[in-house]
Amino acid sequence: MKNMRKCLLCVPVVLLLVYFTSVWFQTKLLPMDKCSLESAKMLKLDNVADVTLNLQSRDDIQTCTSWRAPIIWEGMFDPHHYDQKHKEEGSSVALTVFAVGSYLEVYLETFLKSSEHYFMLGLPVSYYVFTDTPEKVPNIELGPQRRLKVIKVEKYTRWQDISMMRMKIISDTIESDIRHRCTHVFCFDVDQVFTWRFGPEALGDSVALLHSYYYRLPKKLFTYDRNPKSKAYMETGDFYYHAAVFGGTWKSVKALTDACYKGIMEDKENNVEALWHDESHLNKYFWLHKPSRILSPEYCWDTRIGYRRDIQVFRLIWAPKHYDTLRTS
């Protein structure tokens, strides 16, 4: 009987080992799909510069989607060509970031200073910093054609509400200000640091980001919202996208934020909250409205993942998270 009890106690441990071993093999060893297009001329072009993308430059990654949108990786593009084309076209970029509560003191200065070194250099950039304490926003020396606007927002009791309400705030700011100044918008989480070029090759009509923890996982492990009562509910999808970075033209970003906010509020009326809040709604939106451009995990990488052969540069990295203290302050 003692031996039988020992065996029974071992069963859950064995099952966990089998599960994690399976996940490890799937994330480390399973190859990504391959782009079926022979030439970038076959893409649904976001801009004229995309015809120069080399979709066959690397054999270890997926460089396009089934709906003929490019997935941007190091080695696919000529940075100087993109810089020149977007200057000629008069592209300008609004960068939105929320720094509420302790997030401002811990992350904002590093985020902004690093952005000045790497984000859209050579193009006009307007920063929009949303915070509950405008007087604490650090004074950052900005480069030519770069400006910063601070907008006061309410501090909600729960961090989840801050995360979800940003969709409405971004939409309202696009309508009242951004659309009169900028051609494109990029929305970022503040707890990140730019470490390499994040340039005009990332600009497009509708831009999504592959989540660094999910891009090599099978779809059955994607953490979509599985609750049929939620407007974010999904049975399946194309990829799992990270809400820490998304963007596009101001019209496309406004459409996305409006749709996500509408879904969030309808859920609220029904006493439902999506699994990953605004990120769940963002994934649902990009499932219904395919992004015209996808950024590889180079554009938002967590170095704790460790070495990956397909990640040749870190353009933006996760800053150390302090959820236990920051999300309660």
Side-chain angles (χ1 to χ4, degrees):
M1 287 295 292
K2 283 185 177 180
N3 289 336
M4 186 175 292
R5 286 197 195 98
K6 286 181 180 178
C7 288
L8 288 172
L9 288 170
C10 288
V11 169
V13 176
V14 171
L15 289 174
L16 280 172
L17 285 171
V18 169
Y19 172 76
F20 284 113
T21 301
S22 170
V23 170
W24 186 88
F25 272 104
Q26 291 178 93
T27 58
K28 293 289 184 180
L29 300 179
L30 281 185
M32 299 182 74
D33 291 339
K34 293 293 182 280
C35 180
S36 61
L37 304 181
E38 295 178 2
S39 164
K41 293 178 181 179
M42 301 172 72
L43 291 168
K44 288 185 177 177
L45 298 176
D46 247 357
N47 54 67
V48 293
D50 284 350
V51 296
T52 64
L53 287 171
N54 186 349
L55 302 179
Q56 312 304 323
S57 61
R58 292 171 56 182
D59 60 6
D60 58 335
I61 51 168
Q62 183 177 349
T63 57
C64 74
T65 69
S66 59
W67 59 92
R68 294 189 290 146
I71 305 176
I72 307 300
W73 297 81
E74 176 70 5
M76 283 178 59
F77 61 91
D78 178 350
H80 303 295
H81 181 67
Y82 273 89
D83 291 346
Q84 186 60 36
K85 285 297 180 183
H86 277 278
K87 284 178 183 177
E88 291 173 2
E89 292 175 6
S91 298
S92 54
V93 187
L95 184 159
T96 73
V97 64
F98 284 72
V100 177
S102 298
Y103 277 77
L104 187 153
E105 295 175 7
V106 176
Y107 297 117
L108 182 60
E109 184 170 1
T110 300
F111 175 86
L112 291 174
K113 284 184 175 179
S114 66
S115 176
E116 279 297 286
H117 286 289
Y118 297 111
F119 182 73
M120 301 294 167
L121 301 184
L123 293 184
V125 172
S126 296
Y127 296 102
Y128 291 82
V129 176
F130 301 97
T131 180
D132 57 322
T133 52
E135 69 279 0
K136 292 184 179 180
V137 173
N139 186 22
I140 304 295
E141 185 177 348
L142 302 177
Q145 300 187 88
R146 298 168 88 91
R147 57 185 289 273
L148 187 149
K149 183 172 183 177
V150 179
I151 299 174
K152 187 170 184 177
V153 296
E154 179 183 348
K155 182 184 178 183
Y156 291 88
T157 305
R158 302 186 321 137
W159 67 266
Q160 293 94 332
D161 292 325
I162 298 169
S163 175
M164 291 188 289
M165 287 304 294
R166 71 170 176 159
M167 292 297 185
K168 174 172 172 50
I169 294 167
I170 291 170
S171 174
D172 289 348
T173 306
I174 290 173
E175 179 62 31
S176 64
D177 191 323
I178 292 173
R179 71 187 188 96
H180 303 292
R181 296 178 179 274
C182 301
T183 59
H184 295 78
V185 184
F186 256 104
C187 308
F188 289 90
D189 284 354
V190 72
D191 51 351
Q192 307 180 104
V193 182
F194 292 92
T195 54
W196 202 255
R197 172 194 169 91
F198 197 120
E201 74 282 351
L203 296 177
D205 180 61
S206 175
V207 185
L209 167 77
L210 294 182
H211 198 297
S212 58
Y213 276 87
Y214 293 93
Y215 77 107
R216 297 295 293 268
L217 283 174
K219 288 183 182 180
K220 64 183 179 181
L221 296 179
F222 291 177
T223 55
Y224 298 135
D225 190 287
R226 307 294 185 180
N227 179 3
K229 294 180 180 179
S230 173
K231 291 297 180 180
Y233 169 70
M234 295 175 65
E235 290 184 3
T236 187
D238 302 304
F239 301 96
Y240 190 82
Y241 301 115
H242 195 177
V245 180
F246 62 93
T249 61
W250 69 260
K251 285 184 180 179
S252 291
V253 176
K254 189 173 190 313
L256 181 155
T257 52
D258 284 343
C260 288
Y261 177 66
K262 183 174 183 288
I264 289 165
M265 295 311 294
E266 288 183 18
D267 275 0
K268 211 173 185 70
E269 289 174 7
N270 296 319
N271 295 315
V272 176
E273 192 167 280
L275 178 63
W276 291 115
H277 316 107
D278 59 340
E279 184 166 277
S280 296
H281 289 277
L282 177 137
N283 270 275
K284 179 65 173 286
Y285 183 86
F286 280 137
W287 168 238
L288 298 175
H289 309 273
K290 309 297 188 195
S292 65
R293 193 177 213 79
I294 296 178
L295 304 181
S296 71
E298 299 167 356
Y299 287 84
C300 186
W301 184 251
D302 186 359
T303 55
R304 292 175 300 177
I305 293 172
Y307 173 74
R308 287 279 177 87
R309 187 171 65 90
D310 50 14
I311 305 297
Q312 297 184 357
V313 296
F314 305 148
R315 302 182 187 280
L316 180 73
I317 61 172
W318 297 21
K321 311 295 182 183
H322 306 289
Y323 293 145
D324 54 337
T325 56
L326 290 175
R327 286 185 171 176
T328 57
S329 59

